[in-house]
Amino acid sequence: MSKNIAELIDGLEFFRDFAYRELEALSGYFGFSSVDQDTVLFNEGDAGTHMLILIDGRISIYKAGESGRHLLSFENKGRIVGEMALLDRERRSATCVATTACELLTLSHDGLDRMAREHPGLAFRFAYSLARLLSKRLRRTSGLLAEHLVD
């Protein structure tokens, strides 16, 4: 299955700096799952045990507020969600629901820890890529917040 997973992630933006042989090595740490439309992938407040990579389908991200649940975003193929919980092991900050049937890869804490032991250089590059992704998202969020404060 790891070769199939390597083929699934080959070409995704997040993995653009990884050679195919590295994708094959990374693949051994991911799980694969298919879920039906309207499946709750995780709820805000759940323990953060893993991150997801959306291979096919569409998911919605919601955040609870005083007036109910608010849609934050729709995510499509190649998007990574739940990476904050993977890194900091905190509770989920939002709810994630499959808007359509989806194919997903998962990486758990145990998988990341095993990767760090077995392929420390590759694990460092993977974590560095996650840090860059989080930095981009924080910059985008800061920009949106600044626009909101000005209005």
Side-chain angles (χ1 to χ4, degrees):
M1 180 64 164
S2 65
K3 185 162 184 109
N4 293 339
I5 290 176
E7 291 170 7
L8 291 173
I9 60 177
D10 189 26
L12 296 181
E13 177 68 20
F14 181 82
F15 294 99
R16 74 176 186 273
D17 295 332
F18 292 89
Y20 191 79
R21 63 179 167 67
E22 293 173 314
L23 298 180
E24 289 177 317
L26 286 170
S27 296
Y29 303 99
F30 291 106
F32 177 85
S33 63
S34 295
V35 297
D36 294 328
Q37 180 178 352
D38 297 325
T39 299
V40 175
L41 302 171
F42 51 78
N43 284 298
E44 185 174 350
D46 285 353
T49 59
H50 62 283
M51 66 170 238
L52 304 170
I53 302 172
L54 183 58
I55 297 300
D56 191 34
R58 187 173 183 178
I59 57 177
S60 301
I61 309 294
Y62 297 94
K63 181 80 175 154
E66 290 180 18
S67 59
R69 189 166 85 164
H70 303 280
L71 178 66
L72 294 179
S73 66
F74 288 111
E75 305 296 345
N76 296 303
K77 179 181 178 175
R79 290 298 290 200
I80 294 176
V81 296
E83 72 286 347
M84 291 188 319
L86 178 73
L87 295 174
D88 66 15
R89 299 179 185 230
E90 295 292 328
R91 298 208 170 269
R92 299 290 183 185
S93 61
T95 296
C96 181
V97 179
T99 307
T100 66
C102 294
E103 291 183 346
L104 305 158
L105 296 179
T106 59
L107 178 63
S108 67
H109 293 297
D110 291 340
L112 183 60
D113 290 345
R114 193 167 48 89
M115 184 193 307
R117 283 191 313 274
E118 296 172 0
H119 293 96
L122 190 57
F124 171 81
R125 289 190 53 231
F126 181 81
Y128 184 74
S129 294
L130 283 177
R132 280 196 328 245
L133 174 68
L134 287 167
S135 177
K136 286 179 187 176
R137 289 182 181 174
L138 181 58
R139 286 178 189 275
R140 183 181 68 216
T141 301
S142 296
L144 292 171
L145 179 60
E147 288 177 17
H148 178 73
L149 293 174
V150 170
D151 291 342

